[in-house]
Amino acid sequence: MEQCLLEKYRDFLPVTPQTPLITIGEANTPLVRSQTLERELGCGELYFKLEGCNPTGSFKDRGMVVAVAKAVEAQTPAIICASTGNTSASAAAYGAACGLDVFVVVPKGNIAMGKLAQALAYGAKILTIDDNFDKALELVLILAQKLPVALVNSLNPHRIEGQKTAAFEIVDALGSAPDYLFIPVGNAGNITAYWKGFKHYKQAGKNDNTPKMMGFEAEGAAAIVRDKVITDPKTVASAIRIGNPASWKGAVAAKDESGGMIDCVSDEEILSAYKLLACKEGIFGEPASAASVAGLIKLRASGQDFSAKKVVCVITGTGLKDPDTTIQTTKTPAELPADLDILEKEILKSS
Ligand code: AN7
C-alpha cells in the first residue's frame, strides 16, 4: 500500500507520535506533460499538476488531512470553516472520516453545485449566509474563538503545512524544481504553501533551484494586484471570488522572494483557458483552476519567452464540481429523432 501523506512526509510535517495517521487517499496526484499547449505556446516543457485527482476533487485535501489529524490529536469535537466550496467539501469529508461535527459557512448563490452536494453528502452542517466569502471568514474567526470548534481555514497553519507537499511531489517527479509555477490565487494559502514547500525541500537538499511563483487572481477579485480590499468581488470562478485574501502577505512574499509575479486574468481569459484545457489536453479543471493556464497564455501573448523553460500549471480542482458553468458556456446539443440516416448525416457533417 502507498504511504499516506502524513507518513510519507512526516519529517516535514507537524506529526508527533500522538498524531493519528488518517487518510482517505489524498495526495500523490499526477503531474502530466502537455499534449498540445506546450507546442502551441512554445514552452520548453509544460506540465499540469492535477489536484482534482484528490479524494474530494481539489488540493484542499492535502492541508485538511493535517488540520483534521491535529484537531483529533487535540481531542477537539468539531471543526468549522468558511468556504467558497472546496474547503467545505474537504472539511466535510475528513470530519466525517474522523467522526467530528463539521460546520461550514458558505456564501449564498456563490458556491458551485458539486461542492454543495459534497458537503451535503458527507453530512456537514451547512450555514448559508446572505453575504460573501470574506464576511463568512470574518464570522467564522470569531465563532472559532468562542466555541469548542477548531478552525480549518488556511489561517490554521497546519493547512499550509499539508498543502506544501504538492511542491515536494513536483520536485520528486521532475528531479528538480520547475523554472515557473503558475497557480490560481484566491485566499492565497496555496501559493504561500507551495513557496514554503519549494524552500523547505531545497533546505533538505532535494532541489538546488526554486521556481518563479506566478500567481493569478480573477480580475474582478484582484485585491493583491490592486493592493486594496475588494468589497464586492465578482468572477465566474466562484472558488476565487475573494476580496480580502487571508494569506495576502504570504503571496506577496512568495512573489518577491522568487522573482515571480501576482497578476490577474479576466473571466473571458479564464473561460477560454478552461475550454482549451478540456478540448486540447483532455483535462477538465474547474474555472478557478484555469486561471493558472490563462496566466501563462496571457504572458505568452505579451511576448514572454518560455522556450527553454520548465513550466508547471497547477490545476487546483476538477471541472465536475461546477457543471453549471460548463452548461452555460457551451452549446447544448439539439435533440434528434432516433433515426439512423439523421445520425449518420450529423456525423458526416461534423467530421
Ligand atoms: C479550485 O474553498 O478558498 O489561494 O474556500 O477552490 O489557496 O485560496 C478555495 C480556493 C484555487 C484558491 N482553486 O486557492 C475555499 C477556497 C480552487 C479553489 C483556489 C481555490 P487559495
Side-chain angles (χ1 to χ4, degrees), residues 21 36 51 66 70 72 77 98 104 121 138 150 167 197 221 224 239 264 282 319 337 347:
L21 299 178
T36 313
E51 289 292 281
V66 182
K70 295 305 280 185
V72 171
C98 295
V104 305
E138 213 180 291
I224 301 173
C264 60
I347 290 169

Side-chain angles (χ1 to χ4, degrees), residues 4-7 10 13-24 26 64-76 94 97-100:
C4 69
L5 180 149
L6 290 168
E7 277 178 298
R10 73 182 300 149
L13 295 171
V15 174
T16 70
Q18 285 70 46
T19 311
L21 299 178
I22 57 173
T23 180
I24 55 171
E26 62 289 331
M64 198 57 71
V65 72
V66 182
V68 171
K70 295 305 280 185
V72 171
E73 183 179 339
Q75 299 184 334
T76 315
Y94 284 88
C98 295
L100 304 179

Side-chain angles (χ1 to χ4, degrees), residues 57-60 81-90 105-107 115 133 153-154 159-160 163 183-193 216 224 238-242 245-247 251 285-291 314-318 321:
S58 89
F59 71 96
K60 303 285 182 182
C81 66
S83 182
T84 57
N86 279 326
T87 300
S88 59
S90 189
V105 183
V106 298
K115 302 175 189 179
F133 167 84
N153 278 106
S154 56
R159 283 273 315 278
I160 303 286
Q163 281 174 210
I183 184 167
V185 173
N187 218 18
N190 211 24
I191 188 170
T192 303
F216 286 84
I224 301 173
S238 60
I240 54 173
R241 190 173 183 271
I242 295 174
S247 298
E286 66 170 284
S289 299
V314 183
I315 309 302
T316 45
T318 170
K321 298 244 185 196

